[in-house]
Amino acid sequence: EVIDGGGRVLLPGFVDLHTHLREPGREDTETVESGSAAAALGGYTAVFAMANTNPVADSAVVTDHVYRRGQEVGLVDVHPVGAVTIGLKGEKLAEMGMMAAGVGRVRIFSDDGVCVADPLLMRRALEYAASLGVVIAQHAEEPRLTIGAVAHEGPTAARLGLAGWPRAAEEAIVARDALLARDAGARVHICHASTAGTVELLKWARGQGISITAEVTPHHLLLDDSRLETFDAVNRVNPPLREASDAAALREALIDGVIDCVATDHAPHAEQDKCCEFAAARPGMLGLETALAVVAQVLVEPGGLSWRDVARVMSERPAQIAGLDDQGRPVAVGEPANLVLVDPDHAWTVRSDELASLSANTPYAEMSFDAKPVLTLLRGRVTARDGVAADPGENR
Ligand code: DOR
Ligand code: ZN
Ligand code: ZN
């Protein structure tokens, strides 16, 4: 088949280091199947499925199951993220070696929802990770610093009286784990960087030669705390939407390479968990089907990132960070490729009920964008085309 890509932009398939698929445990909000369709439609050929499932992905039984489900569905390579500890608030390190050696070949370990707040436990986790050659993805949220705090020190959250994660809750962990990674000879990856201060800490740590990488979400690049004025729970997310000056610093850092990549933190939630009061709603927002459109709008169209740079931040760097050798790189002639064809001029409006995700908690509902992935190929097979995902199992 000859595909006419005229006027479109051909990029390596996107790699998402941070996706919540909710299987096992909350299959009413997302499954490996529905999340894989959303990923394919978003131009992704690989996603890393976060560990805060139920049961928690803290053993090879769970991580291998998630990996196998991804293979059966066959729309995107689903790489399980393993939990660092047994249980999300665990005090005991998980058998990371068993998960790394399983069929799911876990390369990234994390505790999402709750970071490893105990510094001693984190030091041991980093030493263990260094011995295995795997990465620790740190959510950089010190839960004890949320007590008595507002979402950030900025005027909006304080005026609205919104409780949440202050900047220090993030930055203290970034600084701490940069130092612990240095001493352990480990690699640490900072999830969803959200403050200007984190950007400064990343520069400092890099200057020290510390092996630290970082991601930023599309929503922290585009949205800010002015969104919170309406108290609409769809805007509740961890880390919270911060000030416009933070978003500007994050954009600058992505352009400069201080932040390595974009990751969605795709976090599906049921309507009943999002319809209540702001403070009671579950944190998180959808991201897979809108990430490219948001990045194009906030950074490509105004200048800042070229399409070449988009390949870097959405495909090459995340593939390198995760140690994937079959993603995010040019392919030789005749080799099955992971590719996405993007139409930069597609004018579309996000409708929450038209997304492939089983959930509808997108902050972009009724917003219009220009760019859209129109064709995704996983190892040469079509996984999504013109807004329709291929049937699960079809490509196996
Ligand atoms: O907003 C968030 N949602 N942040 C997290 O760290 C967890 C995630 C989720 O699982 O819903
Ligand atoms: Zn997180
Ligand atoms: Zn997350």
Side-chain angles (χ1 to χ4, degrees):
E1 182 191 0
V2 175
I3 295 163
D4 180 4
R8 279 83 169 268
V9 183
L10 188 62
L11 300 170
F14 302 143
V15 175
D16 190 17
L17 293 180
H18 194 150
T19 306
H20 296 271
L21 290 181
R22 308 300 190 211
E23 183 178 343
R26 279 307 296 267
E27 288 86 349
D28 59 316
T29 63
E30 202 78 288
T31 61
V32 170
E33 185 174 315
S34 65
S36 293
L41 288 165
Y44 289 89
T45 48
V47 299
F48 284 75
M50 271 296 155
N52 62 336
T53 49
N54 185 10
V56 173
D58 58 8
S59 75
V61 174
V62 181
T63 56
D64 286 352
H65 169 77
V66 170
Y67 176 79
R68 286 203 180 93
R69 281 296 300 135
Q71 291 289 299
E72 282 162 20
V73 173
L75 294 177
V76 64
D77 287 346
V78 175
H79 297 284
V81 173
V84 172
T85 55
I86 304 282
L88 281 182
K89 294 184 188 183
E91 272 139 39
K92 204 166 163 282
L93 288 186
E95 290 275 5
M96 288 159 52
M98 300 285 281
M99 289 185 266
V103 295
R105 290 210 293 144
V106 179
R107 303 165 169 87
I108 299 180
F109 289 88
S110 183
D111 272 14
D112 200 357
V114 180
C115 74
V116 181
D118 176 358
L120 196 56
L121 193 61
M122 193 57 183
R123 185 170 78 191
R124 285 170 44 219
L126 284 161
E127 286 166 0
Y128 191 179
S131 75
L132 295 171
V134 298
V135 188
I136 300 259
Q138 170 56 271
H139 285 260
E141 295 159 341
E142 167 54 88
R144 283 168 297 181
L145 288 179
T146 63
I147 297 168
V150 291
H152 60 85
E153 292 84 349
T156 306
R159 180 166 47 79
L160 300 176
L162 297 173
W165 302 90
R167 297 168 193 284
E170 172 167 316
E171 293 162 16
I173 297 283
V174 173
R176 183 197 77 176
D177 286 3
L179 295 170
L180 292 176
R182 177 194 66 189
D183 292 354
R187 288 197 296 145
V188 65
H189 175 73
I190 303 301
C191 296
H192 40 51
S194 75
T195 77
T198 289
V199 171
E200 292 309 309
L201 288 166
L202 289 168
K203 286 184 199 161
W204 166 81
R206 293 267 171 73
Q208 305 289 306
I210 296 170
S211 292
I212 190 166
T213 55
E215 67 187 36
V216 61
T217 69
H219 47 272
H220 289 107
L221 292 170
L222 177 66
L223 308 177
D224 59 57
D225 63 359
S226 61
R227 274 269 183 148
L228 306 179
E229 297 280 358
T230 61
F231 291 96
D232 186 342
V234 82
N235 297 309
R236 179 161 159 80
V237 65
N238 283 344
L241 299 178
R242 299 197 192 267
E243 290 177 76
S245 54
D246 291 294
L250 295 167
R251 293 194 292 268
E252 216 42 56
L254 190 65
I255 292 167
D256 294 345
V258 175
I259 290 177
D260 299 81
C261 63
V262 172
T264 66
D265 200 2
H266 178 82
H269 288 296
E271 212 174 315
Q272 70 266 23
D273 295 325
K274 273 291 191 187
C275 66
C276 35
E277 229 188 294
F278 189 89
R282 298 243 171 121
M285 35 181 74
L286 300 181
L288 285 170
E289 294 174 75
T290 48
L292 181 274
V294 172
V295 169
Q297 176 169 309
V298 78
L299 280 163
V300 180
E301 289 159 21
L305 292 186
S306 64
W307 287 107
R308 180 72 195 73
D309 295 324
V310 172
R312 168 171 60 85
V313 300
M314 293 190 68
S315 188
E316 292 164 11
R317 283 299 290 142
Q320 284 165 0
I321 289 166
L324 299 182
D325 47 21
D326 59 345
Q327 297 274 356
R329 59 175 180 78
V331 281
V333 174
E335 194 183 352
N338 299 322
L339 294 170
V340 54
L341 194 62
V342 170
D343 186 346
D345 213 6
H346 196 92
W348 68 293
T349 302
V350 178
R351 314 271 184 214
S352 56
D353 58 351
E354 288 175 6
L355 298 172
S357 171
L358 291 182
S359 294
N361 55 309
T362 175
Y364 312 111
E366 305 310 316
M367 285 174 68
S368 294
F369 296 92
D370 297 321
K372 198 172 191 194
V374 291
L375 178 73
T376 310
L377 299 176
L378 177 63
R379 284 180 284 281
R381 316 280 299 254
V382 174
T383 53
R385 185 176 210 153
D386 298 328
V388 182
D391 288 331
E394 199 175 274
N395 284 329
R396 292 173 58 217

